[in-house]
Amino acid sequence: MTKKGITAIRFALWGLVLLALLAVLWFRVLSPTLQEDIAGSLGRGDYHLTATDGTAFTEDSLKGAPSAVFFGFTHCPEVCPTTLGDIATWQEGLGEAGKQLRVFFVTVDPERDTAEALGQYVSWVPGVIGVSGTREEMDKAIRSFRIYASRVPVEGGDYTMDHSAMVLLFDARGDFSGLINYQEEYDRALGKLRTLVGAS
């Protein structure tokens, strides 16, 4: 092999070493730190919404007791009613321990979801509190919780909402503690909630 060829191989090997070091730096240091920063800011913000029980819903509402927060809308054809059904079964599974868990259903469609409509929509699941407000305040909340929500036109001039489908979990200090994905396996979801309320 020529001297030029050996030099090229050395550069290639050093390049691989550099890539490996960058990968370690990303996965061991930068990525975890970034995720911690994002998780630590979830739910924090200057949004001021109104709950269907007449109380204000702000970032301070997440403090004092474990909370589960879900974003949806009353015209939702599938995800929202399915998730509310899941919440009902989780509450049943938690039993007495579930009484300390607060569940907030925050609308992403405040133009149609009045407090009255929202209250009626969530009323079939005991303990679930609806949350609505002005579009401006709702957009602040959506950004604070890093939720995706977008209006999608449908035939006839109407619209539906495309939105994130997970349930966000917060501990009694108001800190993000995890999430339950849409239609997550029952035992896994219940285990997360038991840990959240200290019943595991």
Side-chain angles (χ1 to χ4, degrees):
M1 183 176 292
T2 66
K3 187 175 180 180
K4 192 174 181 180
I6 294 174
T7 301
I9 292 174
R10 282 180 177 167
F11 273 115
L13 290 174
W14 277 113
L16 291 174
V17 170
L18 180 60
L19 285 176
L21 289 174
L22 289 174
V24 170
L25 179 65
W26 170 256
F27 287 109
R28 294 292 180 92
V29 180
L30 298 178
S31 182
T33 301
L34 183 61
Q35 289 177 12
E36 287 177 9
D37 289 344
I38 292 173
S41 67
L42 280 179
R44 314 283 192 209
D46 62 349
Y47 54 87
H48 294 271
L49 303 172
T50 303
T52 49
D53 62 1
T55 61
F57 182 82
T58 67
E59 68 171 39
D60 289 336
S61 302
L62 300 176
K63 300 174 182 175
S67 304
V69 182
F70 177 72
F71 284 74
F73 66 115
T74 62
H75 288 69
C76 182
E78 183 177 350
V79 172
C80 300
T82 299
T83 300
L84 283 173
D86 288 342
I87 290 170
T89 60
W90 298 338
Q91 289 175 326
E92 185 176 344
L94 288 170
E96 283 296 312
K99 290 184 177 178
Q100 62 177 305
L101 177 68
R102 300 174 304 174
V103 182
F104 297 103
F105 183 99
V106 185
T107 181
V108 295
D109 186 17
E111 289 82 3
R112 292 187 296 195
D113 291 346
T114 62
E116 182 180 2
L118 197 56
Q120 291 177 354
Y121 185 74
V122 301
S123 63
W124 65 278
V125 185
V128 176
I129 300 169
V131 177
S132 188
T134 65
R135 167 50 65 190
E136 180 182 6
E137 294 299 319
M138 193 58 61
D139 287 342
K140 290 181 184 178
I142 287 171
R143 288 192 295 273
S144 297
F145 285 88
R146 297 180 185 275
I147 290 296
Y148 170 75
S150 180
R151 182 182 292 203
V152 180
V154 297
E155 290 184 10
D158 204 355
Y159 67 91
T160 186
M161 297 296 296
D162 193 11
H163 63 95
S164 302
M166 67 278 198
V167 177
L168 301 173
L169 305 178
F170 295 85
D171 63 23
R173 294 171 301 183
D175 294 330
F176 175 71
S177 66
L179 58 83
I180 298 175
N181 289 308
Y182 178 57
Q183 290 198 305
E184 187 163 322
E185 193 268 329
Y186 173 79
D187 288 338
R188 186 178 170 86
L190 192 61
K192 292 179 179 179
L193 291 171
R194 286 187 183 281
T195 300
L196 183 68
V197 300
S200 58

